[in-house]
Amino acid sequence: MNGQERPVIIAGNWKMHKTRAEAVELSKTIRNAVAGEKDLPVVVLCPPFTSLEAALSSCEKSEIQIGAQNMEHRDSGAFTGEVSPLMLKDLGVSYVIIGHSERRQLFGETNTSVNLKFKAALKHKLVAIVCVGETLDERESNLTDAVVSRQVAAALDDVDAADLKTLVIAYEPVWAIGTGKVCEADEANRVCKLIRATVGNLYGNKSLSQSIPILYGGSVKPSNIDEQLAQSDIDGSLVGGASLNAEEFLALVKSGQKKVGLAASRS
Ligand code: PGA
């Protein structure tokens, strides 16, 4: 936990990578490396749907959480190609990424569908990692703050304050994802603070917003994570590319451990 008692979370988004055998190898390596470690952050692995079961059984009886990268919001029905929250819950999945920018940009997800999916996650007690972030055009047009706060407000539309306990928000500037261009740590922190203030204003409750973990994502690597995690309002990382390699991902987990350890020594 950090000073505000928020969990530190290191989440790996494997995107469309890793067959079942590869998923077993990677998740077992991570599981074995973190077993018995002190001050562990929350470690979440998000494989593709087809490797969820492999990752779940490889990480059974460990601290590692398994998440999906997306889901449909309805429980069942004639929705060819979709996977429901009920099915994820049935598998034993505990986290789900919602509204990743690749889903928004390539698969037509909107602020409205993100809101429906977040409510479905709440209904099924899945922890939702809701992604928000501006495109390069939006940043260059000085629209970052407007876009990000609109995405946050839309995701939380018609959601009770009491339901925010299983919410994690990931600030992922689209221009930083998979590009090697990391957002400067103080700027990422400024936007994470804005996200927190947006939640606080929406609910008229500042302390509620202080309890929500906010992650930074976008070209997070072992070489830049420490600077990000040293910020006041960045509680962890959502990692794509660097989560596909055990050594790199474990280095990120180590950085998370340092943050957890530091907070523990201060409290
Ligand atoms: P990246 O991806 O770490 O490869 O930039 C992050 C993400 O898409 O969540």
Side-chain angles (χ1 to χ4, degrees):
M1 293 281 185
N2 49 24
Q4 293 87 10
E5 295 304 304
R6 295 188 296 264
V8 176
I9 301 173
I10 305 292
N13 171 13
W14 295 1
K15 309 196 180 185
M16 200 170 70
H17 295 284
K18 305 291 177 191
T19 60
R20 283 180 308 153
E22 289 165 344
V24 167
E25 193 188 330
L26 180 55
S27 42
K28 278 195 174 156
T29 308
I30 294 167
R31 180 217 161 114
N32 293 340
V34 303
E37 285 285 313
K38 234 180 92 206
D39 294 333
L40 262 192
V42 180
V43 177
V44 189
L45 306 181
C46 302
F49 288 129
T50 48
S51 291
L52 279 171
E53 196 157 23
L56 277 160
S57 51
S58 304
C59 295
E60 226 181 342
K61 299 203 179 81
S62 77
E63 298 283 301
I64 296 173
Q65 304 292 316
I66 304 298
Q69 299 171 16
N70 176 38
M71 65 179 187
E72 158 59 30
H73 70 272
R74 288 161 285 213
D75 286 356
S76 62
F79 303 107
T80 303
E82 293 297 308
V83 173
S84 86
L86 196 70
M87 293 163 181
L88 295 178
K89 204 64 199 180
D90 179 52
L91 267 183
V93 163
S94 48
Y95 278 67
V96 61
I97 299 174
I98 291 175
H100 188 280
S101 64
E102 284 151 19
R103 301 290 322 163
R104 293 180 191 253
Q105 293 205 309
L106 307 172
F107 300 100
E109 291 206 11
T110 62
N111 281 340
T112 305
S113 62
V114 170
N115 176 245
L116 290 170
K117 289 178 185 204
F118 177 46
K119 288 182 189 154
L122 289 173
K123 179 176 159 205
H124 291 279
K125 300 196 166 38
L126 290 158
V127 180
I129 303 180
V130 174
C131 302
V132 297
E134 80 289 357
T135 62
L136 186 57
D137 269 2
E138 289 162 345
R139 174 158 284 265
E140 286 174 345
S141 313
N142 279 326
L143 290 172
T144 299
D145 296 9
V147 167
V148 169
S149 28
R150 192 162 57 234
Q151 288 172 332
V152 171
L156 302 186
D157 187 38
D158 200 23
V159 171
D160 287 345
D163 283 334
L164 300 191
K165 283 192 202 91
T166 52
L167 170 67
V168 176
I169 298 177
Y171 169 54
E172 296 207 309
V174 180
W175 49 270
I177 295 180
T179 57
K181 264 192 246 160
V182 67
C183 182
E184 294 290 332
D186 53 354
E187 171 58 11
N189 195 47
R190 186 191 70 77
V191 182
C192 290
K193 271 191 179 157
L194 169 87
I195 291 171
R196 215 176 281 295
T198 304
V199 177
N201 291 337
L202 281 172
Y203 291 88
N205 186 339
K206 198 162 170 258
S207 65
L208 171 75
S209 69
Q210 288 301 321
S211 66
I212 294 174
I214 303 182
L215 317 182
Y216 167 77
S219 297
V220 173
K221 302 270 178 284
S223 57
N224 58 37
I225 189 171
D226 287 335
E227 208 187 336
Q228 300 282 347
L229 293 188
Q231 302 295 318
S232 61
D233 283 73
I234 300 180
D235 305 311
S237 315
L238 179 56
V239 189
S243 73
L244 297 173
N245 172 283
E247 204 179 312
E248 276 193 271
F249 187 69
L250 286 167
L252 302 176
V253 171
K254 263 247 140 37
S255 292
Q257 268 178 297
K258 267 192 269 166
K259 185 173 171 85
V260 174
L262 258 177
S265 69
R266 279 201 208 108
S267 62

